[in-house]
Amino acid sequence: VIKASPFGDGKSAMYFDGSAEEDILSIADHDDFDFSGTWTIEFWMNASSADNYDGVMTFDMSGSGDPDVTIGFYGDSDTLYFYSNAGSATNKGNWGPISLGVWHHITAVHDGTNLNCYKDGKLITSTAWDGTFSTATNGLIIGRFYAEQDEKYFDGYLDEIRIVNGTAVYTSDFTPPTSRLTAIDDTKLLIHSD
């Protein structure tokens, strides 16, 4: 299945069918993914469904009490959440309702004090949190809620995933990018789905 990118540049986006281990992207643990202070996680998302525990990405989220993080849907709603687990999952912020079949620019920014969740360039929630987590055991997995379970997959398309560890890229409302992202200072991961 090929889906046009959010930029109308004739390129495709990554497709995740929401049902299989084969439809995830797994990246091994690395010091680049030890987060504290300031950082930014951003991506374009076009969800086909928003079921309970559909996970977009997880940083070592295993349910074992590690300081780990998942971005995903939860409950009987279409709200996308940012969860941190340190013994029990805690909602640290959210992006509000996500329209299905529509491209959204999703951004999580830690400014050193607060987790700021932007959807399509608009601040949705801001929550005090130290912003410290890592991929110490299971690495970064894109397309699933929990790192260690063969279930809870994302159903839809992702494009232009960028992780910047050391910089709060956005500090107020902004116009979402209209072209492919670039590797700015402190970029640790940049995925173009050409």
Side-chain angles (χ1 to χ4, degrees), residues 90-111:
T90 303
N91 171 15
K92 295 298 184 183
N94 71 78
W95 291 270
I98 300 296
S99 299
L100 301 182
V102 175
W103 282 109
H104 290 289
H105 184 254
I106 301 297
T107 310
V109 179
H110 195 270
D111 61 13

Side-chain angles (χ1 to χ4, degrees), residues 127-150:
T127 307
W129 175 49
D130 69 6
T132 300
F133 64 97
S134 72
T135 59
T137 304
N138 295 297
L140 166 61
I141 297 176
I142 298 171
R144 188 165 69 191
F145 197 95
Y146 285 119
E148 297 175 331
Q149 296 181 16
D150 185 18

Side-chain angles (χ1 to χ4, degrees), residues 6-157:
F7 311 111
D9 58 5
K11 297 183 179 180
S12 62
M14 290 182 291
Y15 175 63
F16 298 82
D17 74 2
S19 66
E21 175 77 20
E22 294 79 20
D23 283 334
I24 64 171
L25 178 59
S26 182
I27 300 168
D29 170 49
H30 193 278
D31 291 346
D32 284 347
F33 302 131
D34 292 340
F35 294 87
S36 64
T38 58
W39 46 259
T40 304
I41 301 166
E42 67 180 306
F43 54 90
W44 284 92
M45 177 179 73
N46 186 326
S48 300
S49 65
D51 294 328
N52 190 24
Y53 287 112
D54 282 358
V56 178
M57 66 179 63
T58 179
F59 296 81
D60 203 42
M61 186 71 144
S62 61
S64 64
D66 298 325
D68 41 27
V69 156
T70 286
I71 296 172
F73 295 98
Y74 178 73
D76 297 325
S77 75
D78 51 3
T79 298
L80 184 68
Y81 289 95
F82 187 107
Y83 280 99
S84 173
N85 185 46
S88 62
T90 303
N91 171 15
K92 295 298 184 183
N94 71 78
W95 291 270
I98 300 296
S99 299
L100 301 182
V102 175
W103 282 109
H104 290 289
H105 184 254
I106 301 297
T107 310
V109 179
H110 195 270
D111 61 13
T113 303
N114 295 316
L115 171 66
N116 301 307
C117 294
Y118 296 90
K119 179 174 68 177
D120 300 327
K122 303 296 183 187
L123 180 65
I124 305 301
T125 62
S126 181
T127 307
W129 175 49
D130 69 6
T132 300
F133 64 97
S134 72
T135 59
T137 304
N138 295 297
L140 166 61
I141 297 176
I142 298 171
R144 188 165 69 191
F145 197 95
Y146 285 119
E148 297 175 331
Q149 296 181 16
D150 185 18
E151 59 181 341
K152 308 179 189 323
Y153 298 102
F154 175 65
D155 180 16
Y157 300 86

